[in-house]
Amino acid sequence: MLRYATDWLGVYREQVNALNVYPVPDGDTGTNMHLTMQSVRRELDTCDTASMPSVARAISYGALLGARGNSGVILSQLLKGFSETIKDAPSVDGQLLTQALQAAQKSGYGAVMKPVEGTILTVARGVAEGARGQTPGEVLESALFAGQAMLDKTPEMLAALKQAGVVDSGGQGYLYLLEGMLGQLRGEALPPAPEVTHYAQQQFENEAFGYCTEFLMSEATAPIEEIRELVSPFGDSLLVVGAEGYVKGHIHTNQPDELLATVGRHGKMLKTKVEDMAEQHTEILGMAGAAERAEAEVPLSGLVAVASGYGLIKLFRSLGARIVSGGQTANPSVQDIVDAVRSVSAEQVIVLPNNKNVLMAAQKAAELLEGRAVILPTRTLGQGMGAALAFQAGEAADDLTPQMQDAADAVTTFEITRASRATTLTTAAGKELKIAENDVIGLQDDELVQSGGSPEDAVLELLAQGFSGQDIVTLFGGPQKTQADLDALSARISEQFEGVEVEAHLGGPELYDYLVTLE
């Protein structure tokens, strides 16, 4: 049922995105809930499905690790309550399903410091209050009827919903999940995806806190309640939840770096995400424009870039790119790239994969799009940045791609990261590298060429190897780096390479200490 519900929600993902107005321009509710459910499905695919405790753990654990955004974190807590109720049962009948839906809403409300009515929590309460029946099918039917009635009331509870003329997006997404569960029981085929012609965020105003910030931490040395209190002063839309030694956090703030540094003192930071919500709001308006493309003047070319790290994402967006989130170890799917291209209002769209492992998915997406997408085979984020700087929406893709390829080829990219395992190898230049697990390693244009020392020493060594009179060094610090780290390294670069302009930014990609370009 949950596997099928994941696909059912996927059909309506963009429709749910289009409804979002609350609480801020954090407008990918459908995508976030769908990604959360995909994580659940991955855990279900590897668990012992003959064991209810194993299934229940897969639901709770998968939802927590995969939770994205405010809506995804709340959904993970609804599923936590649900799974804790069924974990010791040999099977699920109508009575137990009713109890699980009731426990889900209690867990959801318990996770939010200041619950707001008119949201997914309200709809979950309606579902819980309406759930009744002898069989799971009867329970889901009654729960959906009551949940829909509650969803229809959400505009009267939140002024932002009433002003935009929509119901709550998270609540709608939750009902689509229950619909999918019921659809699986009935043997119904997946419905066709509805056409989206209007985005509610066209009505939306910016709010006080500009960055949607998330973290996943293991080995926490402080209780969840204490971490929640530490995070609370940084902003609003706060959620800090946890299970099995993991802590997941979501907050809207103006101080993402300080927030992550504070939290990072209390455990091992596994993953972070920072997104500029004003930029995201602009992107959503662009998606609305794509729906109305037939009525507007369409640019000759558009741009899609695969990227991670909020600083890099902000840069690509400032250059006119629609973003597909992903990169090393988090490759986007073919469908992710297809959806991004289709959302761009342009006659043709140039796609920058920015990673050799994404290139094949981009090429398959181009085949599905039948000539609308043009793939520029950038293999590093540095090449992608060079290409994006040469992009001009008013020029035809056929004219742009040679210029953009030349610009990409003119950039040398250095990546400083850590070795995932011990190995010994010989570089293309004949240098033997003996690498221990977690050693600092340096890559030049995606080729491993250096190991050992500090990340900062590695940057300087790589620059010395690759420098041949270039003018600009651009430096992006990874999630664990501070502004002080960047300032100190920039000073060392300026001292060693006299006359070179150094630009330094926070918000580099996950898993990297530094991303550096030389041009």
Side-chain angles (χ1 to χ4, degrees):
M1 290 166 67
L2 285 169
R3 285 192 182 109
Y4 198 68
T6 302
D7 292 334
W8 194 283
L9 177 60
V11 169
Y12 293 101
R13 179 182 62 183
E14 198 55 44
Q15 184 184 63
V16 176
N17 284 346
L19 291 174
N20 194 85
V21 297
Y22 179 81
V24 292
D26 182 12
D28 46 5
T29 298
T31 299
N32 286 338
M33 295 182 76
H34 188 230
L35 288 170
T36 303
M37 289 305 301
Q38 286 179 321
S39 180
V40 171
R41 182 164 59 187
R42 283 193 294 272
E43 291 297 320
L44 289 170
D45 288 344
T46 58
C47 79
D48 177 7
T49 53
S51 162
M52 191 67 83
S54 177
V55 169
R57 180 188 180 278
I59 295 168
S60 178
Y61 182 72
L64 177 68
L65 292 193
R68 305 283 189 96
N70 201 51
S71 54
V73 176
I74 293 177
L75 176 60
S76 76
Q77 297 309 288
L78 296 174
L79 291 172
K80 179 183 178 183
F82 183 97
S83 62
E84 286 179 348
T85 304
I86 67 170
K87 66 181 180 181
D88 295 322
S91 61
V92 177
D93 58 13
Q95 181 180 1
L96 187 60
L97 183 58
T98 297
Q99 293 171 359
L101 292 173
Q102 292 168 347
Q105 72 94 11
K106 290 179 183 176
S107 178
Y109 271 93
V112 181
M113 287 187 71
K114 299 176 183 178
V116 175
E117 297 301 336
T119 66
I120 183 175
L121 294 173
T122 307
V123 176
R125 177 163 54 83
V127 164
E129 292 172 352
R132 58 178 62 89
Q134 297 299 311
T135 68
E138 291 174 355
V139 171
L140 286 172
E141 286 176 2
S142 63
L144 277 165
F145 183 82
Q148 184 64 53
M150 191 67 84
L151 179 68
D152 291 341
K153 295 177 183 176
T154 56
E156 301 304 317
M157 302 179 192
L158 278 175
L161 296 175
K162 189 169 186 177
Q163 180 184 357
V166 296
V167 295
D168 177 67
S169 56
Q172 181 66 82
Y174 187 51
L175 293 188
Y176 281 142
L177 282 174
L178 298 181
E179 275 186 18
M181 294 173 72
L182 183 58
Q184 192 278 336
L185 283 179
R186 291 174 170 173
E188 296 177 3
L190 290 175
E195 182 181 358
V196 178
T197 59
H198 176 73
Y199 284 77
Q201 287 203 27
Q202 288 173 291
Q203 315 272 343
F204 206 87
E205 297 180 2
N206 291 334
E207 56 99 74
F209 298 105
Y211 293 91
C212 176
T213 304
E214 299 179 22
F215 62 86
L216 176 64
M217 187 169 66
S218 67
E219 302 174 20
T221 58
I224 288 175
E225 293 76 14
E226 184 176 327
I227 295 173
R228 190 178 290 141
E229 290 299 322
L230 283 171
V231 170
S232 181
F234 282 94
D236 65 8
S237 296
L238 171 66
L239 286 163
V240 178
V241 298
E244 299 194 17
Y246 292 90
V247 177
K248 182 89 176 190
H250 172 281
I251 188 170
H252 296 151
T253 180
N254 284 329
Q255 302 167 285
D257 303 297
E258 294 88 341
L259 164 68
L260 294 173
T262 299
V263 173
R265 290 194 287 267
H266 299 278
K268 181 180 179 182
M269 196 67 78
L270 298 179
K271 192 172 183 181
T272 63
K273 186 184 80 167
V274 180
E275 290 189 341
D276 185 330
M277 292 184 293
E279 297 286 348
Q280 188 182 53
H281 187 205
T282 301
E283 183 164 322
I284 290 164
L285 298 186
M287 293 166 69
E292 301 158 2
R293 191 167 26 177
E295 302 176 14
E297 182 178 344
V298 179
L300 290 174
S301 297
L303 188 64
V304 164
V306 179
S308 68
Y310 72 92
L312 284 157
I313 287 172
K314 184 174 183 178
L315 173 64
F316 278 113
R317 281 183 171 144
S318 72
L319 297 172
R322 181 84 76 246
I323 302 301
V324 177
S325 181
Q328 196 68 24
T329 76
N331 302 156
S333 68
V334 172
Q335 190 62 54
D336 291 334
I337 297 170
V338 168
D339 290 344
V341 170
R342 286 176 174 164
S343 77
V344 176
S345 179
E347 290 187 9
Q348 282 191 302
V349 178
I350 299 169
V351 179
L352 306 176
N354 298 336
N355 188 292
K356 66 180 180 182
N357 294 327
V358 179
L359 183 56
M360 185 175 292
Q363 291 167 337
K364 292 294 182 184
E367 292 175 13
L368 294 174
L369 290 161
E370 299 178 340
R372 182 141 187 269
V374 178
I375 309 303
L376 196 75
T378 51
R379 295 176 177 271
T380 68
L381 283 161
Q383 286 188 339
M385 286 188 282
L389 284 164
F391 172 72
Q392 297 290 333
E395 295 187 28
D398 288 345
D399 296 329
L400 272 175
T401 47
Q403 303 169 34
M404 293 176 68
Q405 187 64 64
D406 287 345
D409 293 341
V411 178
T412 301
T413 306
F414 305 108
E415 297 155 308
I416 313 301
T417 184
R418 305 299 175 112
S420 59
R421 59 184 174 85
T423 187
T424 299
L425 57 83
T426 302
T427 68
K431 180 181 178 182
E432 184 178 90
L433 299 178
K434 294 183 178 180
I435 302 169
E437 184 178 352
N438 206 40
D439 269 2
V440 171
I441 54 175
L443 294 86
Q444 178 174 333
D445 292 332
D446 211 34
E447 295 293 331
L448 182 57
V449 296
Q450 185 272 345
S451 67
S454 72
E456 291 72 22
D457 289 342
V459 169
L460 291 166
E461 184 178 332
L462 289 172
L463 285 172
Q465 291 179 16
F467 185 73
S468 57
Q470 294 95 330
D471 301 314
I472 302 172
V473 172
T474 304
L475 181 67
F476 284 89
Q480 66 275 46
K481 296 301 178 183
T482 65
Q483 188 62 53
D485 293 329
L486 289 180
D487 291 344
L489 181 54
S490 296
R492 292 180 66 186
I493 294 171
S494 297
E495 182 180 349
Q496 186 166 329
F497 301 93
E498 189 175 345
V500 169
E501 179 182 345
V502 181
E503 298 179 1
H505 309 273
L506 291 167
E510 300 287 342
L511 306 180
Y512 289 80
D513 290 278
Y514 295 104
L515 175 79
V516 185
T517 65
L518 185 59
E519 56 189 305

